[in-house]
């Protein structure tokens, strides 16, 4: 059987054909442009002409901009512009309200139903956005010709780059305007919306009340139209490109659309900032388009951009014009960009997104730090940079030290001069052999004193040089925070930290100790009426600074160093133990096949609502399927490791297989965290069926009247509250609980290591869990786990709460008469050991009562619709209050 091609197909097109036709399509006269570009290439011209005709024939003509054209319910007034996705018109909506809108009509070549379905999923998040820097989306629909359109807020403005150049804004004014854009993008990110096409044409600037205001348009449309840089969507036909490659992140130039997150917008903002500062792009339009599709993607994914300050120097013919548009000259512009701004831009443009700013707000804060002359987080700071910042903070104290150093250097010079002079005189006296023995002796003594002064001056200089240890220590402490979680990819960084960061300070410590001892002997307190001695003041400052440095070094070279050594040993073992722990009875492959078969079908009925692709999770060992709940459970190794025990000898817990206690795991002092893999699903979040006559009913609480339908993806949730033993092992020996192990409150049961941890702050909890790849659950995840598919106020009949929860009951009443007394008696005055009571339908314990635990969410009022996938409500960093609910931690 033979295959045939359409008559108008171009067989075996040469590589440069795509970029040639693309350039012709953008010209005012495509045919004339084609003739010009193919002069001397008669072999290429016929194929290019056929391909150009083919592309133009397949494009449906866009609606004309003539007044009176109708796209109900909109009346077209004029055409605003045309781009890769479609044409934008100025239109008037006359019902139900009268207003002008920007109407974007999408070109043919996209599946209309798919576009509308995706955009419909975005509408709720887009509708929640309320920010001065974001243009609102009002409506979505289909034209009579079947083409999708979007009705947006009409913004009277010009692209941000053109506005800055037209008004000759300085670097400071451009950065201030750029921070407005960052604020709008961050607001959208908190609503779960990613732009993915933040080009200057999508960031317009208008003047309101005499000041420039940036406005972002098309927010969410790129995501709604699945606008990604892949072979399927980048080239819908040969020579026709969608999107803006110059601004696309390396993830968008890949083939995995699911790999795109908020850090893709951070990259695009970095390109925009690059253009605002230098007037050019990291990779020019011609460079990318002439490379062809494959090379274009490779450039975006792999080629490192030049620093902005370097880019300026390489376009000499335009440098002066670029500088004038920024109200400066070329040399000052290069110096202005070199340093902080280079580092901020390059951090945004990192190919590895884990090395970029995690959020847009972090980028905006770093820009503000630069404007405030503070240390920016973007750069890998040099000793000179840190010392410069250190000098600004301690200007007064260091002034005295500088005076002393100047005096010492001057004294050293004079002493050297006199010493040399004395030696010359002594030599002359010896040669002359005259009777000036007394004068020779005096000169020799003077030389000895001068040499001693020079030696002392050099010693003082070495003492002040030791202040560099302050910088080394700050850098080491910052680097240590980035070594976690202790996974295999951190091994090189951990070893480098031990050898270089901590090793250098460890080598300096003995010399600093000797210096402090010497300074202590010289520094004598002066009387209040005594004149100020600048030398003594400088030595006192140096003594105090180095003494504080020694105190902090003791912790770094002791506790922190030991922790990194333990983490390094853990990182070298954990990957092999995860995939093949000698005590495990189930492998990851067996667990995955039990949930999803090799053919992709769901094998477990508990995970059918939202499919899951289960892959090995670092540090988790499959325990097995709980015979009672039919959910899979996993063991977290690090929470069971005491730092001395061989991780390979850690026992993996067993589930009780039959009887009334089927699925139960006996909690021991050394038992680690047991995670349950909860199935994803949709549930009603909020108070349900609350009896107005109940003592728990509060008519002032609107939460009783508010229900949210939330859809969550599958996630891991701890089966028990985090115990005091688990906290101690994770925190390297800390026990913060108010009721410690061994204590007995009012004669009640003795507190054990299996009792839950308590009295820990939200920030402390977040810091500890993140070091081990753990996180707090959102409030929605907690309530979903607590309800376990129930729709009642409690997970069990209220009269049976004594079987499921430890509450303030008759036991508490006997010890403290002022406490509330319920009708049951559970025998526990304070919290009970984990797993004491009955589990709910998901096999989770103590979802009601015992102790309260933190969640990720801030305490917002009024409450908002939780976002899909994880149910987070708002930005937790923007709230000081936190929501306290149930289980303490979940797996990231």
């Amino acid at each position: 059987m033979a295959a045939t091609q359409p008559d108008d197909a171009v067989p075996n097109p040469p590589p440069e054909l795509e970029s040639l036709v693309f350039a012709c399509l953008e010209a005012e006269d495509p045919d004339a442009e084609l003739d010009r570009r193919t002069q001397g290439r008669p072999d290429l011209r016929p194929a290019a002409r056929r391909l150009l005709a083919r592309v133009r024939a397949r494009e449906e003509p866009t609606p004309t901009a003539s007044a009176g054209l109708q796209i109900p319910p909109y009346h077209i007034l004029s055409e605003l512009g045309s781009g890769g996705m479609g044409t934008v018109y100025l239109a008037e909506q006359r019902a139900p309200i009268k207003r002008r809108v920007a109407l974007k009509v999408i070109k043919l070549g996209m599946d209309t139903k798919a576009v509308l379905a995706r955009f419909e999923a975005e509408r709720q998040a887009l509708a929640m956005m309320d920010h001065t820097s974001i243009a609102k989306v009002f409506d979505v629909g289909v034209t009579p010709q079947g083409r999708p359109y979007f009705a947006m807020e009409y913004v009277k403005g010009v692209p941000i780059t053109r506005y800055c150049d037209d008004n000759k804004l300085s670097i400071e004014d451009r950065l201030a305007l750029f921070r407005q854009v960052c604020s709008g993008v961050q607001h959208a990110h908190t609503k779960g919306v990613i732009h993915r096409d933040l080009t200057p044409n999508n960031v317009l600037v208008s003047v309101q009340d005499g000041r420039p205001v940036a406005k972002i348009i098309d927010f969410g449309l790129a995501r709604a139209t699945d606008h990604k840089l892949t072979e399927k969507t980048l080239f819908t036909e040969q020579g026709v490109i969608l999107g803006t490659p110059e601004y696309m992140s390396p993830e968008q130039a890949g083939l995995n659309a699911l790999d795109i997150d908020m850090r893709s917008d951070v990259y695009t903002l970095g390109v925009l900032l690059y253009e605002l500062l230098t007037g050019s792009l990291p990779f020019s339009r011609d460079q990318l388009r002439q490379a062809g599709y494959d090379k274009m993607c490779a450039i975006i994914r792999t080629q490192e951009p030049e620093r902005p300050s370097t880019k300026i120097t390489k376009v000499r013919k335009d440098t002066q014009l670029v500088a004038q548009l920024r109200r400066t000259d070329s040399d000052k512009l290069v110096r202005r960009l070199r340093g902080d701004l280079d580092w901020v831009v390059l951090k945004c443009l990192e190919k590895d997104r884990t090395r970029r700013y995690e959020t847009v707000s972090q980028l905006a804060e770093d820009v503000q730090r630069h404007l405030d002359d503070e240390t920016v987080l973007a750069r890998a700071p040099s000793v000179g940079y840190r010392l410069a910042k250190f000098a600004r903070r301690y200007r007064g104290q260091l002034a005295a030290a500088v005076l002393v150093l100047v005096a010492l250097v001057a004294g050293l010079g004079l002493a050297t001069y006199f010493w040399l002079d004395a030696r010359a005189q002594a030599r002359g006296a010896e040669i002359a052999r005259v009777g000036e023995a007394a004068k020779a002796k005096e000169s020799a003594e003077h030389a000895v004193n001068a040499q001693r002064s020079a030696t002392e001056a050099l010693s003082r200089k070495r003492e002040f040089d030791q202040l560099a240890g302050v910088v080394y220590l700050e850098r080491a402490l910052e680097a240590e925070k980035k070594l976690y979680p202790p996974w295999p990819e951190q091994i090189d960084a951990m070893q480098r930290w031990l050898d270089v960061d901590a090793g250098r300070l460890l080598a300096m410590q003995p010399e600093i100790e000797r210096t402090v001892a010497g300074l202590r002997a010289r520094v004598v307190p002066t009387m209040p009426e005594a004149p100020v001695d600048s030398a003594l003041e400088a030595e006192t400052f140096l003594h105090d600074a180095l003494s504080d440095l020694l105190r902090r070094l003791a912790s770094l070279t002791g506790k922190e160093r030991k922790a990194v050594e333990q983490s390094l040993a853990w990182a070298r073992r954990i990957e092999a133990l995860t995939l093949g722990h000698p005590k495990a009875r189930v492998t990851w492959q067996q667990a995955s096949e039990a949930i999803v078969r090799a053919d992709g079908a769901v094998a477990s009925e508990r995970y059918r609502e939202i499919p899951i692709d289960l892959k090995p999770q670092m540090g988790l060992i499959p325990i097995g399927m709980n015979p009672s709940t039919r959910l899979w459970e996993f063991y977290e190794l690090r929470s069971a490791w005491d730092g001395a025990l061989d991780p390979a000898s850690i026992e993996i817990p067993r589930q009780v297989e039959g009887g009334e206690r089927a699925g139960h795991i006996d909690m021991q002092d050394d038992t680690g965290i047991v995670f349950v893999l909860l199935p994803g699903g949709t549930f009603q979040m909020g108070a349900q069926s609350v009896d107005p006559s109940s003592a728990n009913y509060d008519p002032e609480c609107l939460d009783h009247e508010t229900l949210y339908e939330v859809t969550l993806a599958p996630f891991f949730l701890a089966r028990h509250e985090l115990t005091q033993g688990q906290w101690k092992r994770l925190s390297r020996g800390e026990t913060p609980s108010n009721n410690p192990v061994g204590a007995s409150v009012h004669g009640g049961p003795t507190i054990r290591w299996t009792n839950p941890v308590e009295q820990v702050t939200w920030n402390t909890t977040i810091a500890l869990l993140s070091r081990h790849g753990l996180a707090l659950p959102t409030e929605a995840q907690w309530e979903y786990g607590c309800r376990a598919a129930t729709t009642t106020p409690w997970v069990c009949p209220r009269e049976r709460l004594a079987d499921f929860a430890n509450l303030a009951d008759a036991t508490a009443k006997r010890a403290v008469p002022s406490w509330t007394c319920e009708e049951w008696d559970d025998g526990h005055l304070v919290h009970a050991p984990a797993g004491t009571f009955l589990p709910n339908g998901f096999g989770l314990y103590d979802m009601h009562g015992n102790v309260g635990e933190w969640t990720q969410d801030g305490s917002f009022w009024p409450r908002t619709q939780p976002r899909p996938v994880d149910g987070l409500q708002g930005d937790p960093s923007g709230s000081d209050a936190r929501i306290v609910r149930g289980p303490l931690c979940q797996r990231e």
Side-chain angles (χ1 to χ4, degrees), residues 531-816:
V532 176
D533 186 337
S534 60
L536 180 61
E537 184 177 356
E539 289 193 336
T540 301
F541 162 73
L542 182 60
H543 172 271
D544 294 343
L546 292 182
S547 297
D548 181 66
L549 177 60
L550 281 179
R551 178 185 58 79
R552 298 172 66 193
L553 280 179
S555 175
L556 177 76
T557 58
K559 182 178 179 181
E560 274 79 9
R561 184 179 177 86
K562 181 178 180 181
V564 175
E565 288 173 343
Q566 285 187 347
S567 298
L568 178 59
W570 181 262
R572 286 172 172 163
R573 299 285 306 278
I574 188 58
E575 184 171 18
L577 290 176
T578 298
L579 299 177
H581 195 284
K583 300 289 186 178
R585 291 172 293 279
V586 182
T587 66
W588 271 101
Q589 182 176 355
Q590 291 169 334
S592 179
E593 290 175 351
I595 295 174
V596 181
R597 297 201 304 265
D599 60 2
V602 178
S604 173
E605 69 279 2
R606 295 306 302 266
Y607 300 99
R608 286 182 178 173
E609 183 173 348
I610 297 181
I612 179 173
D613 182 13
L614 184 62
K615 292 182 173 62
Q617 305 289 306
M618 196 66 67
L620 286 191
I621 305 298
I623 297 175
M625 184 179 71
N626 188 307
S628 177
T629 65
R630 311 296 292 175
L631 296 176
W632 273 78
E633 298 177 346
F634 300 80
Y635 196 51
E636 207 283 324
L637 286 179
R638 181 60 184 83
S639 59
W641 186 54
D642 62 1
L645 185 70
D646 183 358
S649 65
I650 296 175
E651 294 291 339
I652 310 301
R654 291 179 178 269
Q655 302 155 330
V656 177
E657 296 182 358
E660 294 181 356
R661 301 176 72 246
H664 181 76
I665 291 177
D666 292 325
M667 293 293 291
Q668 305 296 329
D669 290 349
D670 58 355
T671 302
I673 300 171
V674 177
F675 280 107
V676 181
L677 178 57
L678 298 187
T682 301
F683 78 109
Q684 295 290 326
M685 179 179 174
Q688 300 178 24
S689 305
V690 177
D691 184 359
S693 64
S694 168
N696 299 296
Y697 179 74
D698 180 3
E700 300 298 325
C701 181
L702 296 180
D703 268 356
H704 289 315
E705 306 297 333
T706 305
L707 292 177
Y708 298 105
E709 184 176 276
V710 185
T711 300
L712 299 177
F715 62 98
F716 292 97
L717 192 62
R719 184 176 182 178
H720 307 91
E721 296 167 318
L722 192 66
T723 68
Q724 296 200 33
Q726 293 163 0
W727 182 279
K728 180 181 179 182
R729 291 186 289 273
L730 290 173
S731 63
R732 303 179 305 215
E734 296 180 4
T735 54
S737 295
N738 193 40
N739 296 306
V741 174
S744 176
V745 182
H746 291 286
T750 300
I751 303 299
R752 299 165 44 190
W753 287 114
T754 53
N755 280 70
V757 70
E758 58 176 354
Q759 304 297 322
V760 290
T761 66
W762 189 89
N763 288 329
T764 301
T765 304
I766 286 289
L768 177 66
L769 297 181
S770 63
R771 287 175 69 93
H772 302 289
L774 304 172
L776 292 172
T778 65
E779 184 186 16
Q781 289 172 331
W782 178 89
E783 185 167 330
Y784 178 74
C786 178
R787 291 199 178 282
T790 63
T791 57
T792 55
W794 309 95
V795 298
C796 62
R798 190 172 185 278
E799 60 272 12
R800 291 201 60 200
L801 274 177
D803 297 329
F804 288 83
N806 175 22
L807 305 172
D809 58 1
T811 304
K813 184 71 173 179
R814 288 194 296 271
V816 185

Side-chain angles (χ1 to χ4, degrees), residues 362-395:
Q362 288 185 359
L363 165 59
E365 289 167 4
D366 230 6
V367 170
Q368 189 60 50
R369 288 190 190 94
H370 167 74
L371 293 173
D372 295 340
D373 199 28
E374 297 177 357
T375 304
V376 299
L377 303 181
R379 67 185 294 159
S382 64
V383 172
Y385 180 84
R386 286 285 193 180
L387 284 175
K389 299 296 184 180
F390 182 85
R392 289 191 181 97
R393 289 198 300 270
Y394 300 99
R395 187 177 292 108

Side-chain angles (χ1 to χ4, degrees), residues 129-195:
M129 292 195 295
D130 184 16
H131 196 278
T132 57
S133 293
I134 298 178
K136 291 184 176 296
V137 175
F138 297 132
D139 192 16
V140 57
V142 180
T143 70
Q145 293 78 27
R147 297 167 61 183
Y149 67 79
F150 306 93
M152 301 169 288
E153 176 185 356
Y154 173 53
V155 179
K156 293 182 180 179
V158 297
I160 185 171
T161 50
R162 195 171 82 192
Y163 177 87
C164 291
D165 288 348
D166 289 347
N167 292 273
K168 294 184 178 181
L169 295 190
S170 65
I171 294 296
E172 286 73 16
D173 291 337
R174 290 169 186 250
L175 292 176
L177 197 58
F178 177 74
R179 291 191 76 249
Q180 289 186 33
V181 180
C182 290
S183 177
V185 176
Q186 179 63 31
H187 174 79
H189 284 181
T190 62
K191 305 300 182 181
V193 182
I194 306 171
H195 195 291

Side-chain angles (χ1 to χ4, degrees), residues 1 4 74 81 119 121 132 159 206 216 248 255 292 316 349 421 500 525 531 545 569 630 657 689 717 809 839 845 872:
M1 180 179 295
T4 60
Y74 302 97
F119 190 75
T132 57
S206 59
I216 307 168
M248 285 181 176
L255 299 178
R316 286 291 182 183
L349 300 182
D421 181 69
V500 179
R630 311 296 292 175
E657 296 182 358
S689 305
L717 192 62
D809 58 1
Y845 291 84
L872 187 67

Side-chain angles (χ1 to χ4, degrees), residues 392-407:
R392 289 191 181 97
R393 289 198 300 270
Y394 300 99
R395 187 177 292 108
Q397 297 94 322
L398 287 179
V402 170
L403 291 175
V404 173
L405 284 175
V406 171

Side-chain angles (χ1 to χ4, degrees), residues 199-251:
T199 66
N201 288 334
N202 284 335
V203 181
L204 305 181
V205 178
S206 59
V207 178
Q208 299 180 12
D209 297 329
R211 58 183 296 269
V213 175
K215 184 82 74 168
I216 307 168
I217 64 174
D218 279 11
F219 223 123
L221 300 187
R223 180 171 174 177
T225 55
D226 199 20
H227 190 194
K228 59 194 177 186
L229 184 60
T230 67
E231 187 173 3
K232 180 178 179 182
T233 57
L234 180 62
F235 290 96
T236 56
E237 296 289 347
Q238 285 190 338
V240 180
I241 188 169
L242 294 179
T244 315
E246 302 93 298
Y247 297 86
M248 285 181 176
S249 65
E251 304 93 272

